Amino acid sequence: MEPIINHEWDLDEKEAVNIPGLFSFRELPPIVKALKQIKTSPQLVVCDGQGIAHPRRFGLASHLGVIFDIPTIGCGKTRLWGEFEEPSRERGACSLLMDHEEIIGGALRTQDNIKPLFVSVGHRISLETACNWILKLCPQYRLPETTRQADQLVRKALSQINQGSI
């Protein structure tokens, strides 16, 4: 795994309303602010959310990718939309996530005998390439390292906020 080159975060103190299916409208403003601060332009963004595996075919990963015109992948821990058959139990097994006759993503097992992740195209990437990237980003754990490290940074920042040091 490559080392982190740069990370940014933004504290959004507004109380955002959580409306099901409109997650990106709550999450995007601080993400956009943080991405504008990054010194090295990202070549790919993996979102902890959906891409086209969304009732409106425009989840967080799609929304972010269109705004910045960069390749994005939606990688959710749970299925928001569509139907799938359980993939086999070994790492790398994948089954299609379908909405009627339309392929909207994949249920991808990133580790043996662990629940699959739900991978979908966000913007400017194919489903096959998206699944390959997610597997590369999950060498030891179920979640991509990008998501794991972001979660760790958030927990650290929240701890500092709660202690009054930020």
Side-chain angles (χ1 to χ4, degrees), residues 11 15 17 34 42 49 65 73 76 80 82 87 89 92 97 101-102 111 149:
L11 178 61
E15 232 177 271
V17 177
I73 299 170
L80 174 66
R89 306 294 298 170
L97 182 61
E101 301 294 316
E102 183 182 2
Q111 301 299 322
Q149 290 178 24

Side-chain angles (χ1 to χ4, degrees), residues 54-118:
H54 184 278
R56 293 174 187 84
R57 300 298 184 269
F58 203 71
L60 176 66
S62 300
H63 205 155
L64 185 66
V66 167
I67 288 172
F68 285 95
D69 194 27
I70 54 175
T72 54
I73 299 170
C75 183
K77 294 181 265 319
T78 58
R79 175 184 59 90
L80 174 66
W81 199 255
E83 301 297 324
F84 71 102
E85 291 184 14
E86 191 72 24
S88 60
R89 306 294 298 170
E90 71 275 355
R91 173 182 160 78
C94 186
S95 65
L96 294 176
L97 182 61
M98 306 289 296
D99 185 18
H100 301 288
E101 301 294 316
E102 183 182 2
I103 298 169
I104 59 172
L108 176 66
R109 200 164 314 271
T110 57
Q111 301 299 322
D112 291 346
N113 301 310
I114 299 293
K115 291 191 303 186
L117 293 176
F118 295 89

